[in-house]
């Protein structure tokens, strides 16, 4: 592995994580990609699909099972990875989940469940995994730590107008029906931004460059809405997110460490 940059991507079997796998495979730089998924079966299926789509790559792929809602699963993933590699050069916290519906009035009776499950995966689980894998990360000569956030975490934009800008605007009256609010998801991503900033300072003297990446509105399966429906709403192709992750990993945005970055520059807090 000495000649390859070792990346560990959570949630790598679908969406932006899967596109990141393919982006690394297309790079002229050789990678050893630890493909994290909730089960080994999903990881192996993703590896088979990616190697079928991207041929002739100098990179290698290896399956890893990890469930962010389980400390036991995170511990087992760490032991499995540690037994095969001596370091991780880039840790990409991509796995995430959304439990809000696309009708706020339907979410109101389920607020506690929606918020608790979103925070468990997107914030707590991600933080636990990062803390577990830091000993391998700081062994790298060029370590990077990435957290995949969302444009919906932009409090500055929310303070100026209802977001997302393309969604129907709230009207007077109750219940607030047919509104896309995604409040559990977006709140968890705001919290994730704080997790990133905290890790930025915690690992600064270890030479780790830490980022949040806000890939933009892309057509993934997150939240149970089909990519086709999302594209009809104006979502972009998920490969865009994969390319941003590759560019950050390869040092193209090092000057922006400690910030939330997007395709065009820096995202406001």
């Amino acid at each position: 592995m000495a000649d390859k940059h070792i990346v560990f991507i959570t949630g790598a079997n679908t969406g932006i994580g899967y596109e990141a796998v393919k982006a690394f495979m297309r790079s002229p730089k050789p990678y050893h990609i630890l493909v994290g998924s909730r089960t080994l079966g999903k990881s192996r299926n993703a590896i088979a699909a990616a190697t079928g789509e991207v041929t002739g790559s100098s990179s290698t792929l290896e399956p890893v099972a990890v469930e962010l809602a389980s400390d036991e699963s995170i511990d087992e993933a760490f032991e499995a990875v540690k037994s095969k590699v001596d370091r991780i050069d880039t840790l990409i916290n991509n796995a995430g989940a959304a439990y809000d519906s696309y009708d706020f009035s339907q979410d109101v009776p389920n607020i506690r469940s929606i918020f608790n499950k979103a925070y468990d995966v997107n914030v707590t689980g991600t933080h636990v995994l990062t803390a577990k894998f830091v000993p391998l990360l700081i062994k790298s000569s060029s370590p990077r730590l990435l957290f995949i956030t969302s444009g919906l975490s932009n409090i500055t934009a929310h303070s100026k107008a209802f977001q997302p800008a393309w969604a129907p605007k709230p009207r007077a009256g109750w219940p607030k029906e047919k509104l896309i609010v995604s409040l559990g998801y977006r709140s968890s991503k705001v919290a994730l931004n704080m997790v990133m900033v905290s890790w930025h300072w915690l690992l600064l003297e270890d030479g780790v460059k830490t980022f949040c990446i806000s890939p933009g509105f892309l057509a993934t399966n997150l939240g149970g809405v089909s990519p086709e429906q999302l594209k009809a709403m104006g979502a972009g192709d998920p490969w865009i997110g994969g390319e941003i992750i590759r560019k950050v990993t390869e040092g193209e945005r090092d000057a922006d460490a400690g910030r939330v970055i997007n395709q065009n520059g820096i995202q406001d807090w």
Side-chain angles (χ1 to χ4, degrees), residues 223-235:
V225 181
S226 73
E228 291 71 24
Q229 288 175 290
L230 292 172
K231 285 181 179 179
M233 298 176 189

Side-chain angles (χ1 to χ4, degrees), residues 189-247:
K189 290 299 186 177
V190 173
L192 181 66
N193 295 348
M194 175 58 77
V195 170
M196 180 279 294
V197 171
S198 299
W199 279 112
H200 165 68
W201 293 113
L202 284 167
L203 299 178
L204 189 65
E205 295 303 315
D206 295 286
V208 180
K209 294 180 174 63
T210 305
F211 309 82
C212 264
I213 297 178
S214 180
F217 182 37
L218 304 179
T220 69
N221 288 311
L222 187 68
V225 181
S226 73
E228 291 71 24
Q229 288 175 290
L230 292 172
K231 285 181 179 179
M233 298 176 189
D237 196 285
W239 70 263
I240 296 170
E243 280 299 310
I244 297 173
I245 291 172
R246 179 194 61 77
K247 290 177 180 179

Side-chain angles (χ1 to χ4, degrees), residues 31-136:
Y31 287 90
H32 183 64
I33 308 165
L34 300 165
V35 180
S37 306
R38 294 179 68 184
T39 67
L40 280 178
K42 289 182 178 181
S43 181
R44 288 168 178 151
N45 289 341
I47 289 172
T51 53
E53 291 186 56
V54 183
T55 59
S57 176
S58 60
S59 294
T60 51
L61 297 88
E62 187 167 345
V64 177
V66 61
E67 166 58 73
L68 291 185
S70 166
D71 288 359
E72 181 181 4
S73 176
I74 292 171
D75 290 344
E76 290 173 353
F78 176 74
E79 293 302 325
V81 170
K82 187 177 68 169
S83 70
K84 295 176 180 179
V85 300
D86 63 350
R87 70 187 191 284
I88 290 175
D89 297 303
T90 300
L91 174 58
I92 302 169
N93 284 302
N94 166 73
Y99 300 94
D100 310 87
S101 74
Y102 268 39
D103 184 346
F104 181 67
S105 65
Q106 300 300 311
D107 291 342
V108 170
N110 305 303
I111 288 172
R112 189 175 301 279
S113 174
I114 289 169
F115 267 65
N116 286 353
K117 289 192 290 185
Y119 271 75
D120 195 20
V121 174
N122 299 343
V123 185
T124 309
T126 297
H127 183 38
V128 171
L129 183 137
T130 301
K132 190 70 182 182
F133 278 83
V134 158
L136 287 177

Side-chain angles (χ1 to χ4, degrees), residues 23 55 141 145 151 175 188 254:
T55 59
S141 61
L145 174 60
S188 72
D254 280 1

Side-chain angles (χ1 to χ4, degrees), residues 159-170:
S159 71
K160 296 176 181 178
F162 181 76
Q163 300 292 329
W166 47 263
K169 303 299 183 288

